[in-house]
Amino acid sequence: DLKSEMNKTKKLPLMKDTRASDSSQEEAIDQWARRRKQFKDSKKCSSTGGSSINSTITEGSINSEDTRSVDLGLHSENEDRGFYTENFHSASWVFRGDDVSPDNSPRCLSKRPRPVAIRERTVKISKGIGNYPWGFRIQFSKPILVTEVDTNSAAEEAGLQVGDILIAVNGTDVTSMPHSEAANLARKGPDILTMVVGSDISRYPNTPRPTCRGYLHKRTQSAILKGWRKRWFVLKHNGYLHYYKHKKDEGKCRPLEVTKLEGAEIGVDTNLGKPFVFKCIPQTGNRVFYFCATSNQEMKRWLEAMDKAAHPVHQNHVWVDVTLHNTTLPPLAIKNPECLGLLHQLDRSKDVWMQHYCVLKDGCLYFYATLRSTPAQGGLYLQGYIVSEQSLGSKRSVIELKPPSEEFKTFYLCAENVNENKRWITALKASINKWLPLHQAIQDFMNRPLEETRM
């Protein structure tokens, strides 16, 4: 968008309509300056953990159906310049690496000692009440592993996660200490439990983010037309609420409006005389959105998802940090890639194939413009995708990446020839197989005898 605006500005003096006044040119230049400033501001306040690495601006101020100007802030989903991560954020995933034998537990929950690359952080937990005042459990293992964090506990509030490794408790190193001694250190210590914990991609399940799709009636506040209109709403994993005129418009047309839900006030409304009405008051601006569902169950589904989006847990999965780091590297600098080479990706909106130099590593496919490009243009998180060879149009051999749910996007890739396609398909399947849904990993692990201490 910025490049196109820049080109338009540069071409102004060359336009055929020579009757354009100086004031119109100045107005165009001012508009470009405003867009440029907005872009810079967005870069300063862009947050991590959205469904794209590079947050981009939507139209700075879009006129909604209600003919009112709404400041949409940041919109962090742009497939052309970022990562598509929706399926990754829709569920909890753990990394098992090359431990794909069904006889073994995933590495994330395995008792087998192994060297780990960890990111350390300090967690301070205020002592609660009851027999288990800290609200978490640790496993009998070396290193000591957090196996459970109670809901709404002091540990959860402090940011402790299942899969965290205990490194120090109240200033004492516990990496080679029996877990019973570490538990005693915590029990005999002060009311503020201070722990240094570490996590790595194989022990740290990600936290799913809410998503919701469906038709709702939205109350309009236009001075011309008042009433309720049926619209297709999509709550993304990045906490932004999109809506379209029809379901078929999603993915094909720009949304009619995008609203950031973080910090918003969500709740049932009984003042409009209609059943199943709820409202959303965004943190910025003075506007109130009113929605009407078709049933009480449908209303509760939306309220739950929107409330989670309004109060998100800002904790990056360690693997997200790894992929962020890898995007800053040249393609040949990514260590131990599973596959690399040229791939063409189908842009379905334009029905054209775009060429990328691609690198596959641990369930992430990185896209570069060329072999010498830095940084990466973006990529695709592959957790849960099914890889197969299909025919598409004039191409008799195409790689189809199909998501486990229809709400996510299907991708089509094509290598230089059939043999290259098969090489990529084999590598993609093996890379995806390194990840396991958390519920399956826990089920496998629970089938083994477990010793642990509740804190």
Side-chain angles (χ1 to χ4, degrees):
D1 289 340
L2 292 172
K3 287 181 179 178
S4 62
E5 286 291 335
M6 185 184 294
N7 292 334
K8 288 177 184 177
T9 306
K10 288 179 178 178
K11 292 177 182 177
L12 277 173
L14 304 177
M15 293 176 65
K16 292 181 181 179
D17 186 3
T18 55
R19 293 174 295 176
S21 64
D22 293 339
S23 61
S24 64
Q25 293 185 25
E26 291 176 2
E27 183 179 349
I29 293 171
D30 289 343
Q31 182 181 4
W32 157 245
R34 288 194 299 270
R35 292 291 297 277
R36 186 169 182 270
K37 183 177 183 301
Q38 188 179 23
F39 176 78
K40 285 185 175 181
D41 292 342
S42 74
K43 287 295 183 183
K44 292 178 183 178
C45 61
S46 63
S47 60
T48 59
S51 60
S52 295
I53 281 183
N54 297 313
S55 295
T56 56
I57 289 287
T58 55
E59 296 178 35
S61 180
I62 296 179
N63 289 327
S64 69
E65 286 189 308
D66 300 336
T67 67
R68 297 179 62 179
S69 179
V70 181
D71 183 12
L72 302 181
L74 294 176
H75 169 47
S76 61
E77 182 167 4
N78 185 320
E79 290 178 46
D80 296 329
R81 290 175 293 174
F83 278 91
Y84 182 77
T85 68
E86 276 201 290
N87 192 49
F88 174 76
H89 289 308
S90 68
S92 288
W93 298 89
V94 291
F95 186 76
R96 61 177 175 176
D98 298 320
D99 293 347
V100 294
S101 170
D103 297 328
N104 296 324
S105 283
R107 289 197 303 175
C108 62
L109 300 173
S110 175
K111 292 185 179 181
R112 289 172 294 163
R114 66 181 182 86
V116 291
I118 60 175
R119 179 187 65 176
E120 295 183 11
R121 69 187 193 279
T122 300
V123 174
K124 294 187 177 183
I125 307 175
S126 300
K127 190 173 184 178
I129 57 175
N131 295 328
Y132 310 108
W134 311 110
F136 68 95
R137 294 190 185 198
I138 55 176
Q139 178 186 312
F140 179 72
S141 59
K142 287 188 180 181
I144 299 169
L145 189 66
V146 176
T147 56
E148 184 178 344
V149 178
D150 297 342
T151 304
N152 298 324
S153 66
E156 183 184 60
E157 186 177 342
L160 193 67
Q161 292 280 332
V162 172
D164 280 338
I165 301 162
L166 265 62
I167 299 171
V169 174
N170 292 332
T172 302
D173 186 285
V174 297
T175 53
S176 58
M177 185 181 293
H179 87 296
S180 56
E181 292 184 22
N184 286 333
L185 275 176
R187 293 190 182 106
K188 295 176 181 179
D191 288 346
I192 301 294
L193 175 61
T194 302
M195 300 190 299
V196 177
V197 299
S199 51
D200 72 282
I201 62 174
S202 64
R203 295 182 185 268
Y204 190 62
N206 58 306
T207 304
R209 298 181 187 146
T211 179
C212 210
R213 280 172 167 83
Y215 279 107
L216 291 171
H217 285 82
K218 183 181 76 71
R219 188 188 185 204
T220 63
Q221 299 175 352
S222 168
I224 302 173
L225 297 173
K226 293 186 178 181
W228 297 83
R229 295 182 186 175
K230 187 178 180 181
R231 293 291 180 256
W232 177 256
F233 284 85
V234 179
L235 174 57
K236 298 278 188 176
H237 301 288
N238 58 8
Y240 284 80
L241 183 67
H242 303 229
Y243 76 85
Y244 304 83
K245 194 170 184 179
H246 304 289
K247 179 180 179 179
K248 63 182 180 180
D249 295 337
E250 183 187 349
K252 296 181 180 179
C253 307
R254 278 182 173 271
L256 297 174
E257 195 165 330
V258 183
T259 304
K260 183 180 180 181
L261 293 190
E262 183 174 354
E265 180 184 336
I266 312 293
V268 177
D269 187 275
T270 57
N271 297 323
L272 298 180
K274 284 176 65 69
F276 319 131
V277 172
F278 57 101
K279 64 182 178 181
C280 169
I281 307 175
Q283 193 173 34
T284 57
N286 55 359
R287 188 175 179 191
V288 181
F289 293 90
Y290 292 94
F291 307 103
C292 183
T294 55
S295 67
N296 190 51
Q297 182 179 1
E298 183 73 359
M299 180 180 71
K300 287 182 177 180
R301 182 173 75 94
W302 277 101
L303 282 172
E304 182 179 351
M306 291 175 72
D307 187 67
K308 288 181 179 178
H311 306 94
V313 178
H314 292 291
Q315 290 178 334
N316 250 14
H317 189 283
V318 180
W319 186 70
V320 175
D321 292 338
V322 171
T323 56
L324 280 167
H325 171 71
N326 285 344
T327 59
T328 66
L329 303 175
L332 298 183
I334 296 179
K335 295 180 179 179
N336 303 318
E338 293 148 15
C339 200
L340 45 82
L342 291 176
L343 282 176
H344 294 80
Q345 179 192 358
L346 177 62
D347 184 341
R348 283 176 291 178
S349 63
K350 301 176 183 176
D351 197 25
V352 296
W353 291 85
M354 308 295 293
Q355 180 176 283
H356 306 285
Y357 190 84
C358 296
V359 179
L360 177 64
K361 171 69 174 173
D362 290 338
C364 182
L365 187 63
Y366 300 87
F367 295 126
Y368 291 85
T370 67
L371 178 60
R372 292 185 172 87
S373 297
T374 303
Q377 292 178 314
L380 172 62
Y381 283 13
L382 296 167
Q383 288 83 355
Y385 271 83
I386 299 171
V387 186
S388 63
E389 187 176 21
Q390 304 286 343
S391 59
L392 188 67
S394 60
K395 294 185 180 291
R396 64 187 181 90
S397 179
V398 172
I399 304 168
E400 181 186 64
L401 296 173
K402 191 172 183 179
S405 173
E406 292 183 357
E407 66 179 298
F408 306 121
K409 291 182 173 60
T410 300
F411 292 87
Y412 295 95
L413 305 170
C414 185
E416 298 298 310
N417 53 58
V418 175
N419 289 334
E420 276 291 287
N421 269 356
K422 290 181 178 178
R423 181 175 73 93
W424 273 101
I425 288 173
T426 301
L428 286 164
K429 287 181 178 179
S431 192
I432 292 171
N433 203 32
K434 290 184 175 184
W435 291 86
L436 200 67
L438 178 61
H439 66 85
Q440 184 179 337
I442 292 176
Q443 185 61 44
D444 292 346
F445 183 65
M446 292 304 290
N447 291 333
R448 291 186 164 195
L450 178 67
E451 296 180 59
E452 61 184 4
T453 299
R454 187 167 182 181
M455 302 295 295

